[in-house]
Amino acid sequence: MKAVLLKAFGGVEHLDYVEDFPMPEIREDEVLIKVKATALNHLDIWVRKGALAIKPELPHILGSDVSGVVERVGNLVRNVKEGDEVIVSPGLSCGVCYECLSGRDNLCRYYDILGLKTKGGYAEYVKVPARNVIPKPKNLSFEESASYPLTFLTVWNALVRKGQIKPYSKVLIWAGSSGVGVAGIQIAKLMGAFVVATAGSEEKARRCKDLGADLVINHYQEDVPKRVREVFKEGVDVVMDHVGEQTFSKSIECLKKGGKLVFFGTTTGSNANIDIRYLFVREIELIGTYMGPSADLLKISELFERGLLKPVVDKVFHLSQAREAHEYLEASKHFGKVILKI
Ligand SMILES: [Zn+2]
């Protein structure tokens, strides 16, 4: 089958497009999917660089977000059949431990993400456990359907479950143009919150507003905490940070007393410098999140099908252009998701 193989950790030159990689073989409880589209995530870049504590065996196949058509199902599979149009829930877990059975599968000790240690969607075919396969929203194209699982699941967990945003919450979303940014703006808006987003250009700011942001701050030209405090004297209730080193302390400065910082990514580095006194005196909550319970993806898909959430696809590359797609994502030129079409 066609696939993009990661043969060594490092630059994009280690991504090799081949046409003769062996097809995956499914077990009785697994599903083989003919991949139609797969989305890029920053996770792909970290895995490619070997920058995470967890490293896959090489050669590896990246790709956490998959949409496609069911090609074959194992004997025990009941929930889908050949020919069904589906998406994949990217969180892989054991399914039988206390956390899994309690609906907190993202805390399973065996938790993995498709494309992290397990071979993912940069290929003609991918195999996944049947419980990870869910129907594709009928109103979305394959490219649009591949654009949301990982980011929207992550953001839903961060803002709705952990951040507990309410209609009267004021929420700050860093880098509103990113994959998680476009999810953050829409989910916070859907929950009725006042949404402040940051963006790096006028054009990106305009598009953040189109998605529902009430206020957009240029994070290159303005002092974000200062601007936030000009608008809300006390600060905001919740900040969603996925940028890391460059924004983490600023995020804390933006929060009002008792505010929550929900965070899950470190695009700019992982070291933060925090004055601990500032945190306890103001009763600031630091809440790390990692993906989210798979069940939420069913509800998120419903919201897409009802048109309450909208996919934001920036650019579609062909699978054979994975190197160019990685360079494009790393250059931060995108607004929304970068997709590979197979
Ligand atoms: Zn488990």
Side-chain angles (χ1 to χ4, degrees), residues 273-293:
N273 195 0
I274 306 170
D275 185 334
I276 295 166
R277 290 168 301 182
Y278 191 85
L279 296 179
F280 69 72
V281 169
R282 303 176 69 81
E283 293 202 349
I284 299 293
E285 291 182 56
L286 300 185
I287 308 173
T289 71
Y290 190 60
M291 300 284 283

Side-chain angles (χ1 to χ4, degrees), residues 93-97 100 108:
S93 65
C94 80
V96 295
C97 73
C100 282
C108 173

